[in-house]
Amino acid sequence: MSHTNAQPRLNFAEQTPELVKKLQEFSMAITNSGHIEPGLSHLVDIRASQMNGCAFCLDMHVKEAKLHGERELRLYHVATWRESPLFTPKERAALALTEALTQIAPTGISDELYAELRAQFSEKELSTLTFRVMGINAWNRLNVAFRTQPGIRDKALGLDKAGLV
């Protein structure tokens, strides 16, 4: 089912501003907790958005990552993080959790993955990371459902300064 040049469906922020505000507050609480480094958060957001086919969020988070100093080559490698030498063990564990929670297997999260995560993250960090993955998946689902146009909020969010067009 191809949606090449698909038209946006509706503006969910206009239709349900109170719910969008709560989801924004939820996302900001995760970011402001300080439990996860911003660079790691960007990688999580990018990987989940790739997996979910969310063009709006992928576009936004790649630009945010670049503005926050992420190297472009690493951004190109997120989709192939398992084969790439550019990611730390902590980033690899976070990306593995992102994939496991974005497409939950019938068997859930393996003991092996959990052990890998515990070796890299404190309990508080792991809990916050899980909320981060939940949050980006919520945003992805909204933007995929209503086909939000990538880049439409760049100027308002300052993402036009990323130099990516």
Side-chain angles (χ1 to χ4, degrees):
M1 180 179 343
S2 177
H3 297 293
T4 306
N5 296 321
Q7 294 300 306
R9 292 182 168 147
L10 66 80
N11 185 328
F12 60 85
E14 287 177 1
Q15 298 305 313
T16 51
E18 69 286 355
L19 297 177
V20 170
K21 183 177 184 224
K22 293 294 184 189
L23 188 54
Q24 287 171 328
E25 290 170 358
F26 174 73
S27 296
M28 287 310 301
I30 295 165
T31 298
N32 293 336
S33 74
H35 301 151
I36 305 172
E37 310 87 64
L40 186 60
S41 295
H42 293 309
L43 296 176
V44 165
D45 292 346
I46 290 167
R47 186 63 191 128
S49 298
Q50 288 173 334
M51 292 177 69
N52 288 321
C54 184
F56 176 84
C57 290
L58 180 59
D59 179 84
M60 180 171 83
H61 294 297
V62 164
K63 290 171 182 171
E64 283 180 339
K66 183 155 190 280
L67 285 171
H68 289 118
E70 185 57 77
R71 294 187 346 240
E72 279 191 56
L73 186 58
R74 281 173 37 98
L75 295 175
Y76 302 142
H77 280 227
V78 171
T80 59
W81 65 269
R82 279 184 171 77
E83 294 80 21
S84 175
L86 301 180
F87 301 97
T88 67
K90 188 173 190 174
E91 291 167 336
R92 290 176 180 286
L95 290 165
L97 179 66
T98 301
E99 290 183 355
L101 290 176
T102 298
Q103 292 181 340
I104 299 175
T107 54
I109 304 302
S110 72
D111 290 338
E112 294 78 18
L113 175 54
Y114 188 76
E116 182 182 343
L117 290 160
R118 288 298 291 126
Q120 297 297 326
F121 295 95
S122 70
E123 289 182 353
K124 186 178 293 276
E125 290 171 328
L126 182 52
S127 180
T128 305
L129 179 61
T130 302
F131 277 101
R132 182 77 191 199
V133 176
M134 290 168 43
I136 189 57
N137 274 282
W139 286 113
N140 288 167
R141 280 149 178 75
L142 278 168
N143 287 297
V144 167
F146 300 117
R147 296 182 183 157
T148 308
Q149 181 183 355
I152 198 164
R153 302 217 36 221
D154 279 6
K155 191 147 185 84
L157 299 173
L159 299 177
D160 52 335
K161 292 172 183 60
L164 299 172
V165 250

